Amino acid sequence: METYPVTVGAGTLRPLSGTFEAEHEWTPSGVTVEGAFTGPHLLNVAVAGSVLNHLYKEASARSMRIDGVRVRVDGAFDPDTWRSTGVTYAVELVTDAPEEQQEELLEAVDAAASVLQTLRAGTTVQRA
């Protein structure tokens, strides 16, 4: 089954080039997205972007400095129905925070990230 990997990076883990770059309120140099521009890839970009944004937001609330973030997301779709078969993500952080604090941050992000919550709850989509 084909998968649709994407990577979003910021700070010291931001690649110098990618599929596209965007300004970002939490980082002065913005974010870089690596991945194709297809529907499945864009869904995975939404997951990666939400995780990245919430990492900075939750870290700020904890007075935790983050120097770099890389979020890798992958997922597949049933080729007959185009329903997602699930999404996985991995986070790489550059920070001087202790491992325990980093794990607490990752748990808080997993619970709070808006796109993760939307996908987990399910939603309706209809043409207006």
Side-chain angles (χ1 to χ4, degrees):
M1 186 174 296
E2 183 176 3
T3 63
Y4 301 89
V6 299
T7 302
V8 176
T12 59
L13 294 177
R14 179 183 174 268
L16 297 179
S17 65
T19 305
F20 61 93
E21 299 176 20
E23 292 182 9
H24 187 247
E25 72 177 284
W26 298 98
T27 60
S29 60
V31 297
T32 299
V33 177
E34 299 172 297
F37 198 84
T38 69
H41 285 97
L42 292 173
L43 175 66
N44 292 338
V45 167
V47 170
S50 182
V51 169
L52 185 139
N53 286 342
H54 280 274
L55 282 164
Y56 281 98
K57 181 179 178 182
E58 295 290 334
S60 177
R62 292 164 169 73
S63 300
M64 181 178 166
R65 191 182 89 238
I66 294 178
D67 296 319
V69 173
R70 181 178 295 128
V71 181
R72 291 187 170 98
V73 177
D74 204 354
F77 292 78
D78 180 303
D80 295 325
T81 64
W82 280 105
R83 291 183 187 269
S84 173
T85 60
V87 178
T88 59
Y89 73 93
V91 175
E92 184 179 345
L93 289 174
V94 176
T95 179
D96 59 1
E99 284 291 324
E100 183 178 301
Q101 190 177 8
Q102 291 181 48
E103 186 56 36
E104 290 172 3
L105 173 67
L106 293 172
E107 289 176 15
V109 167
D110 190 71
S114 54
V115 173
L116 300 183
Q117 297 311 308
T118 299
L119 290 175
R120 288 173 179 152
T123 188
T124 60
V125 179
Q126 59 190 24
R127 186 172 50 92

